[in-house]
């Protein structure tokens, strides 16, 4: 009988779009080597029991919900839409957002024809709103106590007003060029989004050592982006002040300097970027020979 921990884990990533490259890159930085299948839709992990499925982004929360995939890289907008839709039909939600990834920033906004008078969101009362995010928009309207008609689209929402199918739209905006190209004006944002990682609930994902391992590496990769390794020489007497000045460092290493009783070398990992201002303050309390290095990998 095969153990749960022998099973290969499946990770869903957007097939082609703004999240694809960054998501795959994160997995590579977690140590994954993969080869792409002939159909280009599955990446087989060569050094870990991990396979990456390249899917339509809208399908990703559903794949985790159904247990087909263990993890999914997807926009918060899509996670939220699926979560609200499940809640509306009283289905228990079986995925959790476990980490925000810091890329793929965009927003869900209302867009109105350039020529329309639009004072504030109260102007939406009675309008026909075209969207591919009916659950999020319905939730927003309910909270704002607005009555409007939802017109559900599965794509190309921006053409709905010119087709006469809707008065306004609610769609994802990144650079804003799509709305502009269709003579729509962005008037109000209802959700800020970025890429997130979703997973099966904790009780289930902790059953598999490789999922835990991958999540730990991912935390390390995300943290490393900002982290720096700093080395400097300083008077022993200034050590308490130096420890306060180093951003997000814990327990620096203190090394004696040959032939110097009063000065030591200090090495520390800073969890935040080290700016020129910090180096200048360190110099003021007596630090010298300061070096700031990027950190490539981290594991705690
Ligand atoms: C969104 C949205 C617009 C475009 C806006 O689609 O539906 O088409 O991005 O971006 P812009 O403000 O930079 O012009 P997306 O690329 O996410 O594709 P999808 O919704 O079809 O998955
Ligand atoms: Zn999509």
């Amino acid at each position: 009988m095969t153990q749960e921990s022998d099973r290969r884990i499946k990770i869903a990533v957007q097939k082609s779009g703004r999240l694809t490259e960054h998501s795959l890159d994160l997995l590579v930085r977690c140590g994954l080597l993969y080869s792409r299948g002939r159909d280009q839709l599955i990446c087989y992990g060569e050094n870990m029991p991990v396979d990456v499925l390249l899917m339509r982004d809208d399908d990703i929360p559903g794949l985790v919900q159904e247990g087909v995939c263990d993890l999914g890289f997807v926009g918060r907008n899509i996670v939220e839409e699926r979560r609200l839709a499940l809640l509306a039909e009283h289905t228990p939600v079986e995925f959790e957002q476990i980490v925000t990834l810091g890329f793929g920033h965009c927003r869900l906004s209302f867009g109105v024809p350039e020529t329309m008078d639009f004072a504030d969101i109260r102007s939406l009362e009675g309008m026909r709103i075209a969207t591919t995010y009916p659950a999020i928009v319905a939730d927003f309207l309910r909270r704002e106590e607005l009555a409007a008609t939802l017109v559900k689209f599965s794509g190309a929402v921006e053409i709905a007003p010119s087709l006469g199918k809707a008065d306004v739209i609610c769609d994802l905006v990144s650079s804003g060029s799509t709305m502009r190209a269709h003579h729509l004006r962005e008037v109000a944002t209802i959700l800020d989004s970025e890429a997130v990682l979703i997973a099966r609930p904790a009780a289930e994902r902790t059953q598999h050592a490789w999922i835990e391992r991958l999540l730990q590496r991912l935390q390390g990769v995300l943290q490393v982006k900002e982290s720096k390794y700093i080395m400097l020489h300083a008077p022993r007497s200034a050590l308490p002040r130096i420890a306060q000045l180093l951003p997000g460092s814990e327990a620096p290493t203190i090394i004696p300097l040959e032939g110097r009783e009063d000065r030591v070398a200090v090495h520390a990992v800073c969890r935040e970027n080290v700016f020129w201002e910090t180096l200048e303050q360190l110099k003021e309390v007596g630090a010298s020979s300061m070096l700031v290095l990027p950190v490539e990998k981290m594991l705690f």
Side-chain angles (χ1 to χ4, degrees):
M1 229 181 90
T2 63
Q3 299 276 311
E4 161 67 5
S5 56
D6 294 336
R7 182 176 68 80
R8 292 180 72 80
I9 60 177
K10 291 195 183 66
I11 305 179
V13 165
Q14 185 183 25
K15 185 169 53 187
S16 59
R18 70 179 100 225
L19 306 186
T20 311
E21 214 183 305
H22 274 104
S23 305
L24 291 174
D25 180 57
L26 269 182
L27 288 169
V28 168
R29 282 195 278 154
C30 289
L32 180 69
L33 290 172
Y34 61 79
S35 57
R36 208 133 171 182
R38 197 176 306 173
D39 57 5
Q40 302 279 308
L41 292 182
I42 301 181
C43 302
Y44 298 98
E46 291 176 344
N47 58 344
M48 300 180 194
V50 170
D51 295 323
V52 180
L53 275 55
L54 298 169
M55 311 299 296
R56 275 193 60 210
D57 56 354
D58 313 62
D59 294 332
I60 292 175
L63 290 164
V64 178
Q65 168 79 15
E66 288 155 20
V68 176
C69 290
D70 301 282
L71 302 171
F73 287 84
V74 67
R76 183 189 292 130
N77 50 306
I78 288 170
V79 178
E80 193 56 10
E81 174 65 22
R82 186 66 182 209
R83 191 182 70 82
L84 290 169
L86 288 167
L87 290 178
E89 59 184 41
H90 308 290
T91 305
V93 178
E94 294 197 42
F95 52 80
E96 287 173 6
Q97 178 182 314
I98 49 176
V99 57
T100 57
L101 300 168
F103 62 87
H105 291 273
C106 56
R107 54 197 185 272
L108 188 62
S109 293
F110 286 103
V112 308
E114 280 164 358
T115 50
M116 179 187 276
D117 278 331
F118 189 93
D120 57 38
I121 55 161
R122 312 297 333 156
S123 311
L124 292 169
E125 183 72 33
M127 286 196 176
R128 293 168 305 156
I129 306 169
T131 188
T132 53
Y133 297 89
I136 296 179
V137 179
D139 182 64
F140 172 81
L141 295 173
R142 191 164 43 246
R143 282 186 284 112
E144 295 294 335
E145 298 180 352
L146 285 163
T149 307
L150 288 180
V151 185
K152 295 176 196 171
F153 270 67
S154 48
V157 176
E158 57 276 0
I159 61 168
S162 59
L163 291 179
K165 294 236 174 226
D167 305 302
V168 303
I169 70 166
C170 188
D171 197 21
L172 223 52
V173 181
S174 171
S175 64
S177 59
T178 304
M179 280 210 189
R180 268 197 304 278
H182 291 83
H183 303 285
L184 298 166
R185 181 163 59 97
E186 184 184 0
V187 290
T189 295
I190 60 171
L191 180 85
D192 283 303
S193 186
E194 68 180 284
V196 300
L197 183 69
I198 55 169
R200 301 284 302 164
E204 223 175 285
R205 66 175 182 263
T206 50
Q207 299 292 305
H208 200 304
W210 266 105
I211 297 180
E212 288 295 286
R213 211 161 159 184
L214 203 63
L215 293 179
Q216 258 200 15
R217 290 187 186 185
L218 190 69
Q219 298 284 6
V221 166
L222 293 171
Q223 208 153 54
V224 146
K225 271 209 217 154
E226 284 285 288
S227 296
K228 295 286 180 275
Y229 192 78
I230 184 166
M231 303 192 281
L232 54 84
H233 292 178
R236 205 176 265 282
S237 59
L239 287 178
R241 182 74 188 112
I242 285 174
Q244 286 171 359
L245 285 172
L246 293 175
S249 72
E250 40 200 74
T253 307
I254 314 294
I255 308 157
L257 288 173
E258 189 64 30
R260 293 294 302 263
E261 276 304 306
D262 56 325
R263 286 181 83 77
V264 290
V266 180
H267 289 195
V269 173
C270 296
R271 303 293 194 92
E272 294 158 45
N273 207 347
V274 179
F275 296 102
W276 283 110
E277 287 70 16
T278 307
L279 295 181
E280 286 156 4
Q281 288 170 321
L282 287 165
K283 193 172 158 75
E284 269 168 37
V285 300
S288 62
S289 309
M290 290 178 270
L291 286 179
V292 179
L293 311 171
V295 174
E296 189 184 284
K297 288 193 180 67
M298 243 189 215
L299 184 67
F300 291 95

